[in-house]
Amino acid sequence: MSGSDGGEVGATGGEPLLLGVRHHGPGSARAVRAALDAARPRVVLIEGPPEADALIPLAADADMRPPVALLGHAVDEPGRSAFWPLAEFSPEWVALRWALEQDVPARFIDLPATHSLAWGRDTGADEADEAEADAAEAAEAETDTGDGSDGSEGIEEADGAGRIDVRVDPLAVLAETAGYDDPERWWEDVVEHRGGGTGDVFGPFLALEEAMGALRETYGHGGHDKDLVREAYMRLQVRAAQREFRAGVAVVCGAWHVPALRRKASVAADRALLKGLPKVKADMTWVPWTHRRLSRVSGYGAGIDSPGWYGHLFAAPDRPIERWMTKVAGLLRKEDRLVSSAHVIEAVRLAETLAAMRGRPLAGLSETTDAVRAVMCEGSDVPLSLVHDRLVVGDVLGEVPQGAPAVPLQRDLDRAQRRLRLKPEALERELELDLRKEIDAGRSRLLHRLRLLGVAWGEPVASRGSTGTFRETWRLRWEPELAVRVAEAGVWGTTVLAAATAKAEADAVGAPSLADVTALAERCLLAELPDALPVVMQVLADRAALDADVGHLAQALPALVRSLRYGDVRGTDTHALTEVAEGLAERIFVGLPPACAGLDADAAEQIRRHVDAVHGAVGLLGDAAVAAGPAVASPATASPAAASPAMDGTERGAPPLRVRWHSVLRVLCGRESVPGVIRGRAVRLLLDDGELGQDEAARLMGLVLSPGTPPADAAAWIEGFVGGGAGGGMLLVHDERLLGLVDAWLTGVPADAFTDVLPLLRRSFSAYEAGVRRTLGELVRRGPGERAGGGPIGSGAGLPGFATGLDTARADAVLPVVRLLLGLDGVPGHRDADDNDLAGVGG
């Protein structure tokens, strides 16, 4: 048999056996195996980076399960990387396995990764471009190598100089010539659905070579100059193999490259194309890959839309449609859909009928999809989308043997994954962790440390059914690109713990704001990095001491106080964190009142949010300080002035921080220079904490809503008091005096000022639940200032569902049940003599 130029095609002749393929094509893979079995070459040359030659023996390892990928990365810049993915149905993988099984040498002959990874770098890019242009001009008379993609896919790609190169799509052109409107369907009919018969095994390759040669003659090389360089390198490698093995050289490469490898070109011209190429030090390894990632254009430049379907065609050459429909039925049954054997039979018949009507040799993906939709999914695309996601694309994740080269950090991560029984999976899943269990606590530490390193294997999500700090929920999904992130993180250390510690320390020093440092401290506690925490805390203390912006301090305190909660479950020492948090709170207490003066509306709203955040943080911080005991109290906290009550109504023994915070709130609610939204919120917080009586709150509201206060200021005060989603609606529902004051003020707002205050009021009341708004409307609608029972608003008479006074007998009857629910049954001092009978009734 002869090639397009009359050369010998068989591997036993003088010319190499050029097997042009479509990357990740099961038909091409079967044809390659048949051709290699027939030709029995002495060496197999494969398109791929030559640095991976040492990794080829691992392809025969029992623990190697495709899909996998060759990962090449620059040693000094791990983020500069590239993948060469291989599936079980990839022709290159089949060629590798054949060579290993037959004990035949196999080599990669594409442009080395040391050049391809450096391609497009700013350093030396101009010189490389000039060298390529000169070499291409010198070689133009000797070789007619057009441009093309790595496989048969059309690609649009930007080169290092920022130019956009558009390559012709060979499949689209050939399909259009054959009368097809879908290139994928044409390829399936011509190649993928061909059986592995015993006919002319070289015929398909000769036909593809002739077609690609015609396309290259027509379209020339109007695309990527990089392909000219790659093909020059591959020609040099083929010549070297011919000199070493004489005859018997087989080459497996993208079909587009075959005409360029077949045509003659001088060694000098090819070497001229390679002169002056940029370089980086590169390293190679095997990494797991997924079917889903095969659908992307990467490495070989050939993405496929249906890797799961192609994998099925390769694994089931006999009766593929029947086997596919059985798979679909099994998947749908797992999702509790009623699919019987009769459905499978009818779906197969329909797919075959559609193929016959459309003139196809075998039912393809479109026919099987239409049949599944009509028969098994009852015309619905909802279950069909599940079939497409799980089977047509698939979530198969490959495996790589432990002996594959890897950075030390990757090996430590592998050990941790095995120890914690946390296997990477391509399918997204949720993982519930109970931090009281040692194995779950270890999983949490690992995931938090990886997040610090930028390896986003898991994403924390809100736990369902529990708000305790002992429970965490993670959404896990392993992506092949995470192997690159692990390689990048390897610069920080050889173990996950050491790398996360070093990264946290570096991030603390370079953090742009105080809030970022506090967030980092929280992440260090979650990841349990005891060596990093002192460094982070020192940076935090230094930043807090120098930052005079109360807004920055108020942003930092909540995250810092939240971190204290993790000490209980995780057993982390948070004494230093408590001291810094208390010092931060003290500075907020001092600086907040002056910072609230002279603010516009937007700044006042921002400070109001800070006040809410600090209020919650002080409550948690006070509890943490009391629980920790005097040993963790800061000197400022332990001062006699701080320990004494600061206001009327404060109970003895209350946490000093909370006492001083209440003093700050009293100052805010009494200063006329403080914006109304902040004063109203201060009154509301004091009222909620029991530090302000109902009568005093009503008096302050009455003063603000008096005719002498501008309507805009009064509306802002109301917004601060009842707005912000803090339960203000229910407060008005149950406190008739406050509702009466708001109602009387609102009805007395002048018409010319009403349009100014309306946006503020709408913002406040629109945050209430529908039921609360409806109840308020009913209360106000019952006459101006009158209740259903005849009393005015605020009198307490006639409120539906409520009596005029407290029914103590009915209230006392509930106490025994409440004690049982709270676990106070049998606790001395918590039960009266006649509670036993009531408790029995309640039980």
Side-chain angles (χ1 to χ4, degrees):
M1 288 166 289
S2 61
S4 59
D5 63 346
E8 189 72 21
V9 175
T12 57
E15 290 294 320
L17 172 64
L18 300 182
L19 304 178
V21 300
R22 183 192 188 192
H23 302 298
H24 317 311
S28 292
R30 286 195 297 267
V32 163
R33 176 172 286 279
L36 293 176
D37 285 336
R40 312 298 296 182
R42 298 174 59 191
V43 63
V44 179
L45 306 182
I46 302 169
E47 182 182 339
E51 292 92 341
D53 284 351
L55 303 176
I56 290 177
L58 289 172
D61 194 292
D63 294 330
M64 177 76 84
R65 294 182 178 85
V68 293
L70 288 167
L71 165 61
H73 64 88
V75 174
D76 297 329
E77 300 177 73
R80 183 180 292 276
S81 59
F83 294 94
W84 287 263
L86 297 170
E88 185 180 8
F89 51 84
S90 298
E92 298 83 1
W93 180 259
V94 170
L96 278 179
R97 294 285 300 179
W98 185 92
L100 292 170
E101 291 167 3
Q102 304 299 324
D103 199 20
V104 171
R107 298 174 182 174
F108 289 112
I109 60 169
D110 202 351
L111 189 69
T114 185
H115 297 306
S116 60
L117 291 176
W119 204 283
R121 288 169 58 100
D122 294 334
T123 304
D126 295 337
E127 293 81 350
D129 290 340
E130 292 177 5
E132 290 169 29
D134 295 341
E137 184 177 348
E140 191 173 24
E142 301 183 61
T143 179
D144 184 19
T145 57
D147 177 49
S149 70
D150 298 351
S152 56
E153 297 287 334
I155 302 174
E156 186 175 281
E157 186 171 330
D159 63 10
R163 298 185 299 269
I164 301 297
D165 298 323
V166 181
R167 308 178 182 185
V168 64
D169 183 353
L171 285 189
V173 177
L174 295 175
E176 184 179 0
T177 304
Y180 282 74
D181 57 356
D182 185 358
E184 290 291 332
R185 178 176 295 184
W186 174 82
W187 182 263
E188 282 189 353
D189 288 351
V190 175
V191 178
E192 303 305 343
H193 291 167
R194 294 179 72 255
T198 58
D200 182 8
V201 295
F202 302 108
F205 299 106
L206 286 172
L208 279 175
E209 180 178 347
E210 184 177 356
M212 295 301 169
L215 288 176
R216 293 186 70 127
E217 289 177 3
T218 302
Y219 291 96
H221 68 278
H224 205 328
D225 290 339
K226 182 179 179 181
D227 282 340
L228 296 176
V229 179
R230 294 175 56 211
E231 289 163 353
Y233 186 86
M234 285 193 276
R235 282 194 295 269
L236 291 175
Q237 298 305 304
V238 172
R239 291 192 190 99
Q242 287 180 292
R243 288 194 300 270
E244 181 179 354
F245 294 94
R246 302 292 181 182
V249 176
V251 181
V252 179
C253 64
W256 184 262
H257 300 302
V258 173
L261 299 185
R262 179 73 67 188
R263 293 189 177 95
K264 303 298 183 181
S266 68
V267 175
D270 287 342
R271 288 179 176 172
L273 281 170
L274 301 172
K275 184 178 179 181
L277 293 181
K279 288 185 177 182
V280 294
K281 186 178 180 182
D283 198 4
M284 301 289 297
T285 187
W286 289 107
V287 295
W289 203 250
T290 66
H291 273 180
R292 193 174 301 279
R293 278 293 186 266
L294 285 173
S295 61
R296 294 190 177 184
V297 175
S298 61
Y300 292 116
I304 53 177
D305 296 329
S306 51
W309 167 254
Y310 275 9
H312 170 76
L313 289 180
F314 184 76
D318 62 315
R319 308 182 72 86
I321 306 305
E322 291 84 346
R323 296 180 187 276
W324 177 258
M325 293 301 182
T326 303
K327 279 185 179 181
V328 174
L331 174 64
L332 295 177
R333 286 167 184 163
K334 288 181 180 178
E335 299 298 324
D336 295 330
R337 293 190 65 87
L338 298 178
V339 180
S340 66
S341 300
H343 286 88
V344 176
I345 295 172
E346 290 303 319
V348 171
R349 289 176 177 173
L350 178 57
E352 292 175 344
T353 302
L354 289 174
M357 294 176 61
R358 296 170 181 175
R360 305 195 65 182
L362 182 70
L365 181 59
S366 58
E367 285 74 29
T368 57
T369 300
D370 291 342
V372 169
R373 179 191 290 111
V375 178
M376 298 185 186
C377 300
E378 300 177 351
S380 174
D381 285 337
V382 175
L384 190 66
S385 62
L386 178 68
V387 174
H388 180 274
D389 185 66
R390 298 283 183 85
L391 294 181
V392 176
V393 177
D395 281 303
V396 178
L397 177 65
E399 296 182 16
V400 172
Q402 297 298 320
V407 296
L409 181 62
Q410 179 66 62
R411 296 194 179 282
D412 183 68
L413 176 58
D414 293 340
R415 288 191 293 268
Q417 289 170 337
R418 291 194 301 272
R419 184 180 70 255
L420 298 172
R421 299 195 293 276
L422 202 57
K423 184 179 180 180
E425 296 179 6
L427 186 65
E428 185 178 280
R429 68 184 180 100
E430 283 195 0
L431 178 67
E432 295 280 350
L433 299 180
D434 185 344
L435 302 182
R436 296 169 296 186
K437 300 178 181 178
E438 181 57 34
I439 188 169
D440 282 356
R443 291 170 174 173
S444 174
R445 287 192 295 267
L446 177 64
L447 293 172
H448 280 294
R449 289 169 183 174
L450 290 176
R451 278 175 54 81
L452 267 171
L453 292 171
V455 182
W457 178 16
E459 191 73 22
V461 295
S463 296
R464 295 189 297 269
S466 175
T467 58
T469 59
F470 65 86
R471 187 172 297 280
E472 282 185 351
T473 303
W474 291 82
R475 184 176 292 117
L476 301 181
R477 183 170 185 169
W478 183 265
E479 301 285 1
E481 286 80 359
L482 295 179
V484 179
R485 305 282 83 81
V486 174
E488 288 180 312
V491 301
W492 297 106
T494 58
T495 66
V496 176
L497 175 58
T501 299
K503 183 72 163 52
E505 293 174 352
D507 287 349
V509 175
S513 67
L514 181 62
D516 292 325
V517 183
T518 56
L520 182 61
E522 183 177 11
R523 298 177 69 183
C524 287
L525 284 171
L526 292 171
E528 292 193 24
L529 303 177
D531 294 336
L533 196 57
V535 177
V536 176
M537 295 310 304
Q538 184 60 49
V539 173
L540 178 59
D542 295 342
R543 291 283 186 92
L546 296 176
D547 200 329
D549 192 321
V550 174
H552 293 169
L553 300 176
Q555 281 181 319
L557 183 62
L560 199 59
V561 173
R562 279 197 309 270
S563 303
L564 294 172
R565 303 170 62 197
Y566 298 106
D568 298 333
V569 175
R570 300 172 184 269
T572 306
D573 185 3
T574 57
H575 288 183
L577 199 64
T578 304
E579 294 180 4
V580 174
E582 290 178 348
L584 206 61
E586 294 286 352
R587 298 191 61 208
I588 293 174
F589 297 165
V590 175
L592 185 59
C596 291
L599 299 177
D600 60 15
D602 293 336
E605 176 61 24
Q606 186 175 12
I607 291 294
R608 196 270 304 165
R609 290 194 293 268
H610 290 332
V611 168
D612 284 344
V614 171
H615 183 76
V618 167
L620 290 174
L621 182 59
D623 295 340
V626 170
V632 300
S634 62
T637 307
S639 62
S644 60
M647 64 191 77
D648 295 336
T650 301
E651 298 178 359
R652 263 182 209 281
L657 278 177
R658 198 174 299 178
V659 171
R660 289 197 297 284
W661 172 241
H662 290 154
S663 299
V664 174
L665 292 177
R666 281 189 174 274
V667 171
L668 293 179
C669 68
R671 283 190 180 179
E672 294 297 329
S673 60
V674 175
V677 66
I678 301 177
R679 284 186 285 129
R681 182 44 57 99
V683 172
R684 174 63 190 283
L685 295 177
L686 288 172
L687 180 63
D688 288 345
D689 282 1
E691 298 297 323
L692 198 65
Q694 295 279 355
D695 294 339
E696 180 65 10
R699 185 185 73 82
L700 292 175
M701 179 180 282
L703 292 175
V704 171
L705 302 184
S706 63
T709 304
D713 293 345
W717 196 97
I718 292 176
E719 182 186 16
F721 185 78
V722 300
M730 294 302 298
L731 181 65
L732 294 180
V733 167
H734 293 290
D735 195 314
E736 303 172 29
R737 288 177 299 173
L738 298 181
L739 179 59
L741 289 171
V742 174
D743 180 50
W745 170 80
L746 188 59
T747 56
V749 174
D752 57 346
F754 186 78
T755 55
D756 295 331
V757 303
L758 183 59
L760 293 176
L761 296 176
R762 283 183 61 88
R763 183 168 61 187
S764 300
F765 290 95
S766 63
Y768 297 162
E769 296 180 356
V772 174
R773 292 199 302 268
R774 189 183 308 112
T775 303
L776 290 175
E778 287 292 327
L779 293 175
V780 175
R781 185 181 60 84
R782 290 168 180 165
E786 294 294 328
R787 290 293 188 187
I793 293 178
S795 66
L799 187 64
F802 292 89
T804 56
L806 176 64
D807 189 340
T808 56
R810 295 181 64 188
D812 290 342
V814 182
L815 294 180
V817 180
V818 174
R819 288 176 181 146
L820 286 174
L821 293 175
L822 296 178
L824 300 178
D825 190 18
V827 178
H830 287 279
R831 182 179 294 279
D832 295 331
D834 14 311
D835 277 347
N836 290 324
D837 295 336
L838 292 174
V841 173

